[in-house]
């Protein structure tokens, strides 16, 4: 009788640990990665405008507007973890956030996005500014975030031809509509 009770207790305990360890909202990839997406808007035609948002690993939308200091990606160099942390300090939480299932879905799509094939840049019109949609990848060894452009609209329009990039850009566009 004691052995049956011990076996039952063991199975119950292991099941409980497995249940607690499984989290529907856990995002695949590096647990050290702080951010996954960014949308930024800049326009200097009617005064200096610079605003946007970052989506962090918890699905929180973090807004910024003309921050005193902002680290922008410069070419292929990326941003260090320290620079990302500085940027996060210059954001405020939006009243809306991303559902865990949506975040997990779009992060998994973003992991495989290539940055090698873009549409030919075309003029979108004058004085519209530029809205850029990015995904971020994180290299644990170098602690550097690399941004990959998935779409750009406004004065000059172009998009990443990768199928997943097109899907992520369309989703980020709906997030923009929710935020602004």
């Amino acid at each position: 009788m004691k052995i049956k009770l011990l076996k039952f207790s063991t199975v119950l305990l292991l099941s409980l640990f497995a249940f607690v360890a499984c989290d529907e909202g856990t995002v695949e990839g590096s647990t050290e990665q702080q951010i996954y997406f960014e949308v930024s808007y800049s326009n200097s035609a009617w005064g200096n405008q610079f605003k946007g948002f970052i989506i962090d690993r918890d699905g929180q939308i973090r807004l910024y507007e003309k921050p005193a200091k902002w680290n922008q990606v410069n070419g292929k160099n990326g941003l260090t973890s320290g620079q990302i942390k500085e940027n996060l300090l210059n954001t405020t939480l939006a009243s809306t956030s991303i559902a865990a299932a949506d975040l997990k879905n779009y992060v998994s799509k973003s992991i495989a996005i290539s940055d090698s094939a873009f549409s030919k840049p075309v003029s979108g019109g004058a004085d519209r500014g530029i809205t850029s949609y990015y995904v971020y990848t994180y290299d644990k060894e170098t602690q550097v975030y690399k941004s990959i452009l998935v779409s750009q609209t406004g004065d000059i329009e172009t998009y990443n031809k990768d199928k997943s990039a097109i899907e992520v850009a369309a989703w980020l566009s709906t997030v923009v509509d929710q935020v602004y």
Side-chain angles (χ1 to χ4, degrees), residues 43-64:
N43 190 345
S44 56
W46 307 104
N48 187 24
Q49 298 178 52
F50 178 62
K51 68 178 185 175
F53 63 85
I54 291 172
I55 300 174
D56 70 16
R57 69 178 174 196
D58 298 320
Q60 295 293 318
I61 299 172
R62 300 176 160 276
L63 305 167
Y64 60 87

Side-chain angles (χ1 to χ4, degrees), residues 27-29 36 106-114 135-137 148:
V27 175
E28 293 175 20
Y36 288 101
Y106 288 103
V107 166
S108 67
K109 289 179 188 295
S110 71
I111 291 171
I113 293 176
S114 166
V135 299
Y136 283 92
T137 59
I148 300 172

Side-chain angles (χ1 to χ4, degrees), residues 24 29 36 41 47 50 66 68 71 73 75 78 83 90 94 107 111 117 125 130 145 156 170 172:
E24 285 287 320
Y36 288 101
Y41 171 77
F50 178 62
K66 289 197 237 179
N71 300 299
V73 174
Q83 290 173 312
N90 288 300
V107 166
I111 291 171
I130 298 283
Y145 288 81
I156 305 293
L172 284 172

Side-chain angles (χ1 to χ4, degrees), residues 77-148:
N77 294 335
L79 294 173
T80 66
S81 283
Q83 290 173 312
I84 292 296
K85 287 177 184 172
E86 287 175 4
N87 283 357
L88 290 173
L89 291 174
N90 288 300
T91 63
T92 58
L93 289 178
S95 60
T96 184
S97 63
I98 306 301
D102 288 340
L103 182 64
K104 186 175 182 178
N105 178 40
Y106 288 103
V107 166
S108 67
K109 289 179 188 295
S110 71
I111 291 171
I113 293 176
S114 166
D115 64 351
S116 61
F118 287 87
S119 67
K120 181 179 174 183
V122 296
S123 175
D127 301 338
R128 293 178 56 203
I130 298 283
T131 302
S132 301
Y133 301 81
Y134 298 100
V135 299
Y136 283 92
T137 59
Y138 180 69
D139 184 329
K140 278 180 18 177
E141 286 184 29
T142 62
Q143 297 184 352
V144 170
Y145 288 81
K146 178 184 172 194
S147 68
I148 300 172

